[in-house]
């Protein structure tokens, strides 16, 4: 079993839709949770950063962490074609060294 | 957010030559830098972790004599692909961190070995 599971997609939605991206994980020591957006042939860009459980909102983006279920989500409201990219979840914690573990990435296509 | 600069963005070289890729943290001091390799439509594969002033720690299966990493200062790390061959062609990305929790990435380098 991988430490972090993420459906690679692709996920295709119409413009304006609400997008839900998710990851599950197995290591309860993870405390810091990130979402990155990566456009083709570019480095990942940090979108959201959350510590422990709870919600965080930034513009059209909302990150949720449920540590009891070991489940994190990223919601994108009013999705735009420019949101088309690969979204990577990542997490780290004091697991005997702060090593960041990445999900496989979900490819998102937002159709105009 | 913090800025990490990576150069060059693209390099084409002949088989057998060496290629150096630079990764700089522009507005913060990076105690730790990471180097990744990424194949098309796949996630990041961690190659090595480098801490300023000490030897890099390589992931299992990564040849340290092939991929030389130097982290000489708190703002600069370099990856040198020595005697590059076509199978080394890939997208290489660095990331930097001043804390243990957040990583900031460079823009990546597409290496093509002919």
């Amino acid at each position: 079993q991988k430490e972090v599971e993420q459906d690679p997609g692709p996920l295709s939605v119409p413009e304006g839709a609400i997008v839900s991206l998710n990851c599950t994980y197995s290591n309860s020591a993870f405390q810091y949770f990130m979402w990155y957006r990566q456009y083709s042939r570019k480095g990942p860009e940090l979108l959201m950063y959350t510590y422990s459980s709870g919600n965080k909102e930034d513009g059209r983006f909302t990150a949720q962490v449920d540590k009891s279920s070991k489940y994190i989500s990223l919601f994108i409201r009013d999705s735009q074609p420019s949101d088309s990219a690969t979204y990577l979840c990542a997490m780290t914690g004091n697991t005997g060294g702060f090593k960041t573990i990445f999900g496989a990435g979900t490819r998102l296509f937002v159709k105009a | 957010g913090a800025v990490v600069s990576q150069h060059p963005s693209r390099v084409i070289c002949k088989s057998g030559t060496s290629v150096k890729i630079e990764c700089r943290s522009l507005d913060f001091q990076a105690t730790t830098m990471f180097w990744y390799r990424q194949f098309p439509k796949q996630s990041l594969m961690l190659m090595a972790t480098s801490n300023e002033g000490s030897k890099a720690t390589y992931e299992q299966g990564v040849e340290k004599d092939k991929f030389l990493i130097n982290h000489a200062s708190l703002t600069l790390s370099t990856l040198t692909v020595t005697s590059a061959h076509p199978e080394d062609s890939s997208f290489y990305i660095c990331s930097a961190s001043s804390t243990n929790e957040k990583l900031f990435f460079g823009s990546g380098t597409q290496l093509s070995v002919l």
Side-chain angles (χ1 to χ4, degrees):
Chain A
Q1 183 189 6
K2 291 182 181 178
E3 279 191 282
V4 178
E5 298 276 1
Q6 182 178 12
D7 187 338
L11 177 62
S12 185
V13 301
E15 183 176 359
I18 297 174
V19 175
S20 172
L21 304 168
N22 312 292
C23 288
T24 58
Y25 62 96
S26 57
N27 193 334
S28 58
F30 289 143
Q31 297 173 289
Y32 304 93
F33 304 90
M34 287 75 70
W35 285 96
Y36 289 87
R37 177 175 62 195
Q38 186 178 22
Y39 292 112
S40 181
R41 289 290 174 254
K42 298 290 183 184
E45 171 194 7
L46 181 63
L47 273 181
M48 300 291 282
Y49 167 80
T50 311
Y51 171 68
S52 195
S53 284
N55 293 0
K56 187 171 185 178
E57 188 173 320
D58 184 0
R60 296 185 295 112
F61 298 91
T62 299
Q64 287 186 351
V65 175
D66 182 348
K67 289 192 72 180
S68 63
S69 301
K70 296 190 180 66
Y71 188 88
I72 70 171
S73 301
L74 176 71
F75 297 96
I76 307 174
R77 290 182 297 281
D78 187 25
S79 57
Q80 304 294 309
S82 58
D83 295 328
S84 298
T86 296
Y87 291 80
L88 296 145
C89 65
M91 49 199 76
T92 188
N94 195 356
T95 57
F98 276 80
K99 187 171 182 177
T100 301
I101 307 298
F102 289 88
T106 300
R107 295 174 65 207
L108 172 67
F109 296 96
V110 181
K111 298 173 292 185
Chain B
V3 179
V4 176
S5 174
Q6 184 175 343
H7 292 283
S9 59
R10 189 175 191 91
V11 59
I12 301 172
C13 69
K14 291 183 179 180
S15 186
T17 60
S18 294
V19 174
K20 180 184 282 189
I21 303 169
E22 287 191 353
C23 181
R24 293 179 183 272
S25 56
L26 296 186
D27 51 1
F28 67 101
Q29 292 187 324
T31 51
T32 309
M33 287 187 170
F34 304 87
W35 289 95
Y36 303 83
R37 188 171 179 176
Q38 188 175 36
F39 293 103
K41 299 182 183 179
Q42 294 189 25
S43 191
L44 305 168
M45 185 186 81
L46 179 65
M47 298 174 66
T49 303
S50 72
N51 293 292
E52 183 266 337
S54 60
K55 289 185 178 180
T57 302
Y58 291 82
E59 295 298 303
Q60 193 173 7
V62 177
E63 299 177 60
K64 59 182 179 182
D65 295 330
K66 158 71 86 175
F67 301 100
L68 300 179
I69 292 171
N70 184 279
H71 192 162
S73 76
L74 284 171
T75 60
L76 174 64
S77 178
T78 60
L79 168 68
T80 301
V81 183
T82 62
S83 187
H85 288 93
E87 58 265 29
D88 299 323
S89 298
S90 189
F91 191 59
Y92 293 87
I93 312 175
C94 71
S95 71
S97 176
S98 60
T99 66
N100 287 321
E101 304 91 40
K102 288 184 189 178
L103 295 180
F104 298 96
F105 286 85
S107 54
T109 298
Q110 181 64 51
L111 171 64
S112 300
V113 185
L114 305 178

